[in-house]
Amino acid sequence: MSQISNALEKVENSPAEVVAQYRDSLALVMPSHLQQRVGAWIRNTQGLLRRDPKLMEAAQNDVGQFIAVLMDAGRLGLEPGTEQYYLVPRWNKKKRCTEVTGVRGYQGEIELMYRAGAVSSVIVEVVYSKDHFQFRPGRDERPVHDIDWDAEDRGELRLAYAYAVMKDGATSKVVVLNKGHIAKARAKSDSANGKNPEFSPWNTDEEAMWLKTAAHRLTKWVPTSAEYLREQIRSKAVVDAEQRPEPLPANVPVPAPGTVDDDYDEGPIDAEFVED
């Protein structure tokens, strides 16, 4: 990411114009379904900057970081500035200014699962205190969640759960998170605990972040398109290694540290509420 920052120091254009300049690079990392509409993807991103002065300011403070975030969204095939992939101004202590970070949303997590092609449906829901919820691990295949849709107040957020129905009809691991699990996830989020927490989706869209946390934990049990992509890269590396004597790098490159606020994952927690 430092190379991008250095390259952009000489560019006098605004972040919106720089995004357009990186059209070919963004299209190169995008999956095929987004390459066909890369122009609309870029225009939507430029519109986000124009409508949100705080986001524009954060992007101007470090254009390289902003482009790196967009590269990550493009690589995953997700729409930035939506519930698939949030763009959040975050305070950087070292730089003493805000910069843009990316936060995958629950719709983005679900999209990655569907795109992998192994599931027929993904269920991610929150449970309020006045809902009826039952799931007995080892006895129930899927949760029972009854909601009084006539109730004006369903109470407070109580649980979040997620599971997938696979193409063969089998049910995946059922992930259930309580308030304690959600609190631990939130505590590890840089965007929720930085100098400008008011911009964090944890504060602007709390229910969506409960859903995202459950969906993210489900990806430990259900294939995602990102996982498939990594396996394809590893498989190609193995084939290439067999065809030539020189060794290949051991690790597949990953987005630069700090690009995405997704480091709060504690690993999978299933419906038995395993204590840490």
Side-chain angles (χ1 to χ4, degrees):
M1 189 173 63
S2 60
Q3 294 178 349
I4 297 177
S5 298
N6 293 334
L8 291 174
E9 284 179 355
K10 300 179 181 179
V11 179
E12 299 295 333
N13 296 331
S14 70
E17 293 170 326
V18 173
V19 172
Q21 293 174 13
Y22 272 78
R23 174 182 178 133
D24 291 344
S25 297
L26 287 164
L28 188 63
V29 301
M30 289 178 174
S32 58
H33 78 280
L34 270 188
Q35 290 176 351
Q36 300 173 0
R37 51 182 302 273
V38 62
W41 192 95
I42 288 175
R43 287 191 296 274
N44 289 339
T45 303
Q46 292 172 326
L48 291 171
L49 292 170
R50 298 187 182 100
R51 293 191 298 271
D52 190 336
K54 294 294 184 181
L55 183 63
M56 173 67 85
E57 179 183 359
Q60 288 174 329
N61 289 336
D62 191 335
V63 182
Q65 164 71 10
F66 179 56
I67 294 298
V69 167
L70 295 185
M71 286 287 188
D72 181 68
R75 177 183 62 84
L76 294 171
L78 303 178
E79 295 280 354
T82 69
E83 289 185 338
Q84 286 191 353
Y85 195 98
Y86 295 96
L87 297 178
V88 183
R90 179 187 63 178
W91 180 256
N92 186 308
K93 294 180 180 179
K94 293 182 179 180
K95 300 175 185 176
R96 299 191 62 79
C97 66
T98 56
E99 62 183 12
V100 178
T101 188
V103 180
R104 289 208 301 269
Y106 79 97
Q107 289 186 0
E109 301 284 3
I110 293 173
E111 170 69 15
L112 293 176
M113 284 184 268
Y114 273 120
R115 204 185 301 153
V119 303
S120 61
S121 63
V122 179
I123 292 82
V124 184
E125 296 286 350
V126 291
V127 180
Y128 285 84
S129 57
K130 295 182 181 179
D131 296 349
H132 170 74
F133 179 82
Q134 177 177 297
F135 180 69
R136 299 167 298 180
R139 288 182 287 178
D140 297 333
E141 182 181 12
R142 302 173 188 176
V144 174
H145 183 193
D146 294 326
I147 301 171
D148 182 1
W149 295 109
D150 289 326
E152 295 183 4
D153 180 12
R154 290 172 57 191
E156 299 179 354
L157 283 167
R158 175 189 164 207
L159 303 169
Y161 67 94
Y163 65 91
V165 179
M166 312 307 289
K167 285 288 181 67
D168 61 3
T171 302
S172 72
K173 172 77 73 173
V174 177
V175 174
V176 181
L177 306 177
N178 61 23
K179 284 185 176 182
H181 300 136
I182 298 296
K184 288 180 181 179
R186 178 172 182 153
K188 293 186 178 182
S189 169
D190 289 339
S191 68
N193 300 290
K195 188 175 180 179
N196 303 101
E198 67 273 16
F199 299 118
S200 171
W202 279 104
N203 296 309
T204 61
D205 200 350
E206 184 181 17
E207 179 179 307
M209 291 308 291
W210 280 55
L211 292 167
K212 177 260 168 69
T213 306
H216 184 67
R217 300 292 172 83
L218 182 61
T219 62
K220 302 298 181 180
W221 306 97
V222 176
T224 66
S225 60
E227 177 182 327
Y228 274 23
L229 176 60
R230 286 194 295 270
E231 289 302 322
Q232 289 173 358
I233 293 174
R234 292 192 185 100
S235 297
K236 184 178 185 301
V238 171
V239 172
D240 290 345
E242 293 174 348
Q243 294 176 348
R244 59 183 182 180
E246 65 271 26
L248 292 177
N251 297 323
V252 177
V254 296
T259 301
V260 181
D261 180 16
D262 200 30
D263 57 354
Y264 59 80
D265 183 26
E266 303 170 276
I269 299 179
D270 63 20
E272 298 179 24
F273 298 112
V274 176
E275 295 297 331
D276 295 314

